[in-house]
Amino acid sequence: MEACRELGIRNIHIHKGPTIRPLDRDAFDVADVDRAATDFTDLNFVVEHCGLPRLEDFCWIATQEPNVHAGLAFAIPFMHTRPRYFAQIIGELLYWLGEDRIQFSSDYALWTPKWLVERFVDFRIPEDMTDEYPQLTVAQKKKILGLNAAAMYGIEVPAECRLSEPAVA
């Protein structure tokens, strides 16, 4: 982390999720993120896979560490196969982290993620779950799909794509 500081690297993406083979359960553990985020408060830590299947552990850490962010790789395809599970994941992330610390990401670098983006734009929390998880707003979706990452990396966003209030860096 010291080397990152020296090199001016402020945003660290951490893979915390499934491995190919063998399935290494330790790869899911997010405990080490807590210490790093505490010790390096000037750095941002984007935890890819948002700690799944240890979402609760991740949320508790991210709640106390404002420099910990959720990357939706691995989680976002559940919109297609298990939409209720994805509703729970995104609902918990919004509750614990807020809309400014969640970022779209994808494990589909070899293919276009268009199918994920389009489905997320249209995604709605199932009606029978809205007592616990409110519907996603267009502004929240825009932040998650790109405005949060643009703010984190200092990328200029075209005027027609911005919100009336800027996303928090």
Side-chain angles (χ1 to χ4, degrees), residues 15-29 49 52-53 74 107:
H15 182 268
K16 289 293 184 177
T19 54
I20 302 294
R21 288 189 203 258
L23 185 62
D24 180 359
R25 291 186 336 185
D26 290 338
F28 297 96
D29 192 355
H49 303 268
L52 289 176
F74 185 69
D107 285 326

Side-chain angles (χ1 to χ4, degrees), residues 106-131:
S106 164
D107 285 326
Y108 297 94
L110 298 176
W111 306 282
T112 175
K114 181 180 177 189
W115 61 285
L116 296 170
V117 172
E118 289 174 346
R119 184 69 171 253
F120 186 70
V121 167
D122 295 335
F123 184 79
R124 294 187 49 79
I125 303 289
E127 281 303 316
D128 65 327
M129 296 177 76
T130 57
D131 286 345

